[in-house]
Amino acid sequence: MKIKDGFILSEVAGQTVVVAVGKMAKQFNGCIKLNPSSALLWKTLQKGATEEQLVETFMNEYDVQLEQAKEDVKEFVTNLEKAGFLE
Amino acid sequence: MPRYKIADVVFDAQFIYGYTERLCQKYLYQGDEAPRLLISATLDDIKAEKEKAPEYPDNYLESLAVFRKLCAYILDNADGLIFHSSAIMVDGKAYLFTAPSGTGKSTHARLWRELLGDRAVMVNDDKPIVRFVDGKFYVYGTPWNGKHGLDTNCRAEIKAVCKISQAKENSIRKATAGEMVFTVLNQTVRPENQSSMENLLGLIDKLLGSVDTYVLGCNVSKEAAELSYTTMSGERL
């Protein structure tokens, strides 16, 4: 799975924010603030990744147990799916 | 064809309706600077505005379309953004009050005028333009000045940006740059194309790193204005 085109992730005043451009801006005109771990998952998903790959990326960067990592990734992906940001 | 200078950008304009021409009258320009662009709103532009705000008449929507084009040009070519706020200048320095419509930015700016008299000049009560020029951020008056028609054709260096909310008791504190990001993003016009959006995000990043930022909870009273003015200006009354 992959995050749809049309999002910009950027560092603004020390915050990682995501906004939409182009066609996506018509669908989503809000903005999202990401904490460092969600920013890592977001960036990985922009290139495309499976849930297993996300868990692996997450665990390489953060000191978490497998079960916790799986749970966090699942929650993140579910939220993106609900928002319609994934393809 | 009339020529204008708004936010230090000289441009020619062609209007369909007299409304926009009257609105911009104060910004007519007769100096020697060459115009940087020609702005005109087409019927399609007006139609596009109508889709966003069907309740308004076409002549007003034309003025919005013109403003949108001017701001798009300024964002891409002159390091500037529209910042929905009430901008007031005191002793040459500008203070911007920002909040969702109906919160009381204009009211708070009025309290400052009542407190400070002639020392306080309204730069713009609704849609000023903020530009980064030679390493500093300035706010500029524009004709799009809100329901009280308050604006001055001038610019002032920005000292502080203040986010307002209604409260029973008055209180003010410094904001972190981070908590202001959404505020600014929600009180500006966001471009749809990627490179303009990147310009905008870069400008906001610089703005929040350059000016003081505050969060004010306030009621409608002289004390509210005294608190915000003395805190943000560092001056005594």
Side-chain angles (χ1 to χ4, degrees), chain B:
Chain B
M1 194 176 342
R3 182 167 293 174
Y4 300 96
K5 187 176 190 173
I6 296 176
D8 278 345
V9 171
V10 177
F11 65 95
D12 286 336
Q14 230 165 3
F15 301 134
I16 300 171
Y17 300 100
Y19 174 83
T20 313
E21 197 163 338
R22 283 194 300 279
L23 183 74
C24 296
Q25 206 165 23
K26 214 191 294 180
Y27 294 80
L28 276 168
Y29 178 68
Q30 271 144 0
D32 296 332
E33 257 180 81
R36 293 170 67 165
L37 73 158
L38 165 67
I39 299 183
S40 65
T42 63
L43 291 171
D44 279 347
D45 295 328
I46 296 171
K47 218 167 106 186
E49 295 296 331
K50 190 130 208 147
E51 278 166 24
K52 289 178 206 133
E55 68 274 28
Y56 292 112
D58 285 3
N59 58 0
Y60 175 74
L61 294 173
E62 178 189 41
S63 78
L64 287 186
V66 167
F67 189 47
R68 200 177 292 279
K69 288 190 173 188
L70 175 65
C71 291
Y73 174 85
I74 289 177
L75 177 59
D76 287 340
N77 301 282
D79 291 330
L81 64 139
I82 160 176
F83 190 3
H84 180 220
S85 60
S86 192
I88 190 163
M89 170 170 74
V90 180
D91 302 334
K93 291 281 162 71
Y95 302 84
L96 274 58
F97 296 110
T98 183
S101 297
T103 306
K105 321 181 266 294
S106 295
T107 304
H108 196 73
R110 174 173 60 74
L111 294 171
W112 272 43
R113 297 198 299 281
E114 288 169 8
L115 181 72
L116 300 160
D118 291 344
R119 285 168 63 204
V121 175
M122 283 310 292
V123 178
N124 183 293
D125 204 23
D126 192 45
K127 294 184 180 76
I129 288 174
V130 167
R131 277 187 64 193
F132 186 61
V133 183
D134 297 331
K136 288 177 181 163
F137 276 93
Y138 294 88
V139 64
Y140 291 80
T142 74
W144 291 270
N145 54 16
K147 61 179 178 224
H148 307 294
L150 296 169
D151 73 287
T152 308
N153 185 355
C154 70
R155 78 165 189 181
E157 193 184 336
I158 300 174
K159 179 151 175 65
V161 172
C162 181
K163 181 174 159 178
I164 286 190
S165 62
Q166 296 174 356
K168 270 204 179 119
E169 303 286 329
N170 297 310
S171 68
I172 189 165
R173 64 172 173 82
K174 278 248 181 188
T176 61
E179 72 184 309
M180 294 300 281
V181 171
F182 276 18
T183 304
V184 182
L185 264 172
N186 287 329
Q187 300 303 331
T188 188
V189 172
R190 288 193 230 159
E192 283 191 5
N193 79 70
Q194 177 153 354
S195 71
S196 303
M197 182 62 99
E198 281 162 1
N199 290 345
L200 177 66
L201 294 172
L203 262 180
I204 294 174
D205 182 57
K206 261 192 285 197
L207 174 70
L208 293 176
S210 310
V211 304
D212 296 334
T213 52
Y214 294 88
V215 175
L216 171 71
C218 61
N219 53 35
V220 181
S221 69
K222 191 179 169 206
E223 290 70 35
E226 282 173 359
L227 175 68
S228 61
Y229 172 70
T230 53
T231 308
M232 294 200 290
S233 68
E235 304 280 337
R236 279 191 283 175
L237 282 166

